[in-house]
């Protein structure tokens, strides 16, 4: 399984904290990005929303303008006042500008687009219809001016002439009848004018009956009057009335067309435009309501989403903090426990967190050094206790014996027992000699233990030769065959006196414990280089070391040959210590018929 | 201290064994014993192993063994450990050592058959104690 704490422990605590809070940073960055996206969405939607509102208002205005346009057209159609046309022009321009500005965005929605298209077409039709209406209107005006007016003038002139002729002839009765005709004609003219303002068919009907009446009356008058010229004029008036009727019929027909155009076609188109415009208005409102709904849904979703993310970030922060806290506090706690165990004198305690690469790991390493120091101190204390025990014994023992022996000797000599006296004195001497040797070795041990020595380049062959020369005074030396196989030819840079101590002690042991039962005693000294190490082998066929004692050979005050007991038991201990100081090792091998010691040390020891 | 119960095993009360690596001490102890009772035969061994070898060759166990603790080869305590596994032991085993350490005294006396713990040199009084307690015929 992936060990999260192991993973954390690879980094310094500072980095661990950063890593622990990483998920929170990610969550926060994610929140910020999501927030930004949402804001963008809102901004977009709000701008859509406000645009839709604008459009809705634009459609309302189109509707309003259309109504206004229709109203103006109606006014125009009744009054025919050209000032209104300017107004209409202005409204049309306005409308066209609105159509142009709205047109592009209506494409976004099919329903709106199709309605808008239709609306636009209606407007075009409306515009051309209106043009037609204006044309018709001018045609009417032309008719009145070109036809009705000359007829009226001619008719009035004729009647005036008839009246003046009759009055001249003092035919007042007929003049009065002609005057009535004139009044009736004025009435008809008035009716036509009224029709222009209010196209009521009643005016036309009344006019037609007035014309009929006038023609009848005029015909009766013409029969009654004998003056031919006057008769002629009345006949002319009757003919004019026929023309008048014809023109009125024409005007009525054209006016009907005009009214149809204005009241049916244009009003219908205006109504269509208005209807479509209000439909589009509804659609736009719907659309803006949809957007409002979308926005509020999105806001609600986002709120949920943010709450979830915030909770997640919080949980992540807690987990991160928990992991860091555990990852730091756990090893620190166990470290504190371990240190207190160490302080209580339990150096066997295992130090936790040694493999960590952070500050806790450094602390663990320091604690481990502390532990090693405690172990060393413990060993040294044990050794010191052993040393003091053994020295007290081995120093006292020959003294106690010597005192007793001297008493015995004194007594023996007093009793004349010469032999016992001499033996006692001899034993005193050997006891004291042993004591001296021991004291010498102890001093040597103390000296070598505390000696601070700098490494130097050593000529090992010369050193071996020097040691052998110094030992040649030993009593049995000449009985032993010294053999050499010195192959080591590398530079050796180490502590000279330590190497010398090892060589001297090993050779002197071989000499001291030589086996005089064997016909050929030998000591073989070999050296060789192996993988950065200097190796010294001293092999002999001496008494060797009893099998069951071999595991104790390097302990302090160990002696193995009671009868040949002239050693202090410190030699091999000092050899072992020296090998350790030289950063190497010493190994004993039982060759069956003797001993074999191998010293292995690095060829270079750092300064 | 109680008197020793009649022994079934064979032993020779007139033989005593000194186990000591120090010749001077062997000599002194032998002198004291001979002076106390010239009829006692004194034999000696230089370490525990030699003593065990010697004892195993003897038909009759010696009456007293004087045992030193600090010896090269097999020391006194190792000897006791080995000897304790034997079926029969000498009736009197007395430690005779220079060591006055409580640890050594306790370790030796923990073997039931070790009767006394004397410090060197051996005195006439020590032998009298042994006789009074165990060897009185």
């Amino acid at each position: 399984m992936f060990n999260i704490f192991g993973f954390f422990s690879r980094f310094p605590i500072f980095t661990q904290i950063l890593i622990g809070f990483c998920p929170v940073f990610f969550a926060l960055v994610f929140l910020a990005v999501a927030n930004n996206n949402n804001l963008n969405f809102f901004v977009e939607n709000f701008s859509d929303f406000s645009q839709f509102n604008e459009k809705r208002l634009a459609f309302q205005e189109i509707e309003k303008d259309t109504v206004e346009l229709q109203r103006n057209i109606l006014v125009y159609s009744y009054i025919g006042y050209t000032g209104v046309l300017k107004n209409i022009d202005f409204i049309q321009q306005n409308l066209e500008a609105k159509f142009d500005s709205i047109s592009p965005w209506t494409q976004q929605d099919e329903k709106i687009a199709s309605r808008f298209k239709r609306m636009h077409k209606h407007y075009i039709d409306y515009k051309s219809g209106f043009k037609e209406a204006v044309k018709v209107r001018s045609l009417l005006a032309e008719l009145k001016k070109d036809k009705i007016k000359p007829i009226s003038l001619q008719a009035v002139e004729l009647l005036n002439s008839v009246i003046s002729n009759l009055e001249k002839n003092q035919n007042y009765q007929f003049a009065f009848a002609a005057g009535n005709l004139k009044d009736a004609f004025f009435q008809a003219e008035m009716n036509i004018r009224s029709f222009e303002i209010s196209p009521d068919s009643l005016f036309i009907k009344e006019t037609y009956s007035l014309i009929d009446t006038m023609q009848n009356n005029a015909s009766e008058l013409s029969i009654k009057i004998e003056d031919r010229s006057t008769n002629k004029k009345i006949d002319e008036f009757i003919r004019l009335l026929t023309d008048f009727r014809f023109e009125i019929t024409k005007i009525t027909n054209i006016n009907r067309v005009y009214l149809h155009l204005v009241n049916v076609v244009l009003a219908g188109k205006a109504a269509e435009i208005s209807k479509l415009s209000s439909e589009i208005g509804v659609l736009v409102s719907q659309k803006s309501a949809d957007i409002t709904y979308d926005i509020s849904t999105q806001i609600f979703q986002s709120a949920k989403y943010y709450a979830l993310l915030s909770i997640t970030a919080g949980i992540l922060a807690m987990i991160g903090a928990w992991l860091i806290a555990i990852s730091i506090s756990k090893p620190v706690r166990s470290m504190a426990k371990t240190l207190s165990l160490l302080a209580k004198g339990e150096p066997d305690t295992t130090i936790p967190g040694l493999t960590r690469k952070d500050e806790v790991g450094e602390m663990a390493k320091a604690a481990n050094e502390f532990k090693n120091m405690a172990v060393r101190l413990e060993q040294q204390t044990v050794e010191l206790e052993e040393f003091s025990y053994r020295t007290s014994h081995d120093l006292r023992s020959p003294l106690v014996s010597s005192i007793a022996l001297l008493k015995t000797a004194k007594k023996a000599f007093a009793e004349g027992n010469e032999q016992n006296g001499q033996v006692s004195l001899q034993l005193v001497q050997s006891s004291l000699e042993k004591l001296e040797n021991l004291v010498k070795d102890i001093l040597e041990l103390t000296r070598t233990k505390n000696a601070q020595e700098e490494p130097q380049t050593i000529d090992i062959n010369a050193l071996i030769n020097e040691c052998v020369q110094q030992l040649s005074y030993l009593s049995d030396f000449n009985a032993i065959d010294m053999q050499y196989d010195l192959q080591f030819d590398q530079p050796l840079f180490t502590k000279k006196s330590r190497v010398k101590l090892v060589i001297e002690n090993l050779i002197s042991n071989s000499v001291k414990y030589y086996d005089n039962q064997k016909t050929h005693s030998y000591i073989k000294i070999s050296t060789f280089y192996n993988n950065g190490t200097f190796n010294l082998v001293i092999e002999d066929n001496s008494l060797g070391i009893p099998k069951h004692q071999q595991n104790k050979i390097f302990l302090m005050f160990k002696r193995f040959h009671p009868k040949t007991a002239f050693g202090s038991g410190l030699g091999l201990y000092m050899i072992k210590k020296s090998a350790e100081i030289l950063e190497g090792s010493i190994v004993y091998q039982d060759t069956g018929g003797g001993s074999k010691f191998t010293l292995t040390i690095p060829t270079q020891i750092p300064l | 201290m109680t008197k020793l119960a009649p022994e079934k095993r064979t032993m020779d009360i007139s033989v005593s064994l000194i186990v000591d690596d120090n010749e001077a001490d062997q000599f002194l102890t032998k002198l004291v014993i001979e002076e106390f009772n010239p009829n006692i035969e004194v034999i000696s061994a230089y370490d525990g192993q030699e003593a065990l070898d010697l004892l195993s060759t003897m038909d009759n166990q010696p009456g007293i063994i004087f045992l030193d603790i600090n010896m090269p080869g097999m020391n006194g305590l190792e000897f006791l450990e080995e000897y304790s596994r034997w079926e029969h032991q000498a009736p009197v085993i007395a430690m005779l050592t220079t060591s006055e350490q409580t640890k050594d005294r306790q370790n030796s006396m923990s073997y039931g058959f070790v009767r006394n713990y004397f410090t060197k040199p051996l005195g006439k009084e020590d032998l009298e104690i042994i006789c009074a307690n165990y060897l009185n015929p």
Side-chain angles (χ1 to χ4, degrees), chain A residues 389-390 393 396-397 400-401 404-405 408 411 420 423-424 427 431 434 549 552 559-563 565, chain B residues 21-25 27-28 31 35 46-47 50 69-70 72-74 78 97-101 104 120-121:
Chain A
Y389 168 75
R390 294 302 309 228
H393 174 270
R396 258 190 82 221
S397 187
V400 169
S401 305
L405 284 165
T408 308
K411 195 180 161 203
N420 270 6
V423 171
S424 297
L427 288 169
S431 288
K434 218 189 273 178
Q549 302 273 22
K552 296 176 182 167
R559 284 179 289 136
F560 307 102
H561 302 287
K563 285 179 191 167
Chain B
D21 63 309
N22 193 331
E23 261 181 84
D25 289 340
F27 174 75
L28 282 168
L31 271 189
E35 203 169 278
Y46 282 87
D47 77 337
E50 199 185 335
I69 292 179
N70 291 296
M74 185 186 281
E78 287 164 344
T97 171
T98 327
S99 170
E100 286 172 353
Q101 298 267 332
D104 279 343
K120 286 178 186 173

Side-chain angles (χ1 to χ4, degrees), chain A residues 212-275:
Chain A
D212 287 344
T213 313
M214 276 191 288
Q215 277 183 330
N216 288 335
N217 289 346
S219 297
E220 281 173 19
L221 196 64
S222 171
I223 294 162
K224 284 172 188 169
I225 295 169
E226 290 163 0
D227 181 35
R228 284 199 64 180
S229 73
T230 307
N231 269 352
K232 225 180 166 180
K233 280 177 182 168
I234 289 170
D235 289 346
E236 182 68 16
F237 176 69
I238 291 167
R239 197 189 48 81
L240 272 177
L241 278 177
T242 308
D243 285 357
F244 191 58
R245 178 198 282 268
F246 177 73
E247 292 305 330
I248 286 170
T249 307
K250 228 165 144 188
I251 281 176
T252 312
N253 286 339
I254 292 171
N255 200 50
R256 195 177 294 130
V257 170
Y258 173 73
L259 284 179
H260 177 79
L261 259 177
V262 171
N263 288 333
V264 179
V265 178
L266 291 187
K269 292 285 170 195
E272 277 295 322
I273 291 171
S274 200
K275 188 185 141 216

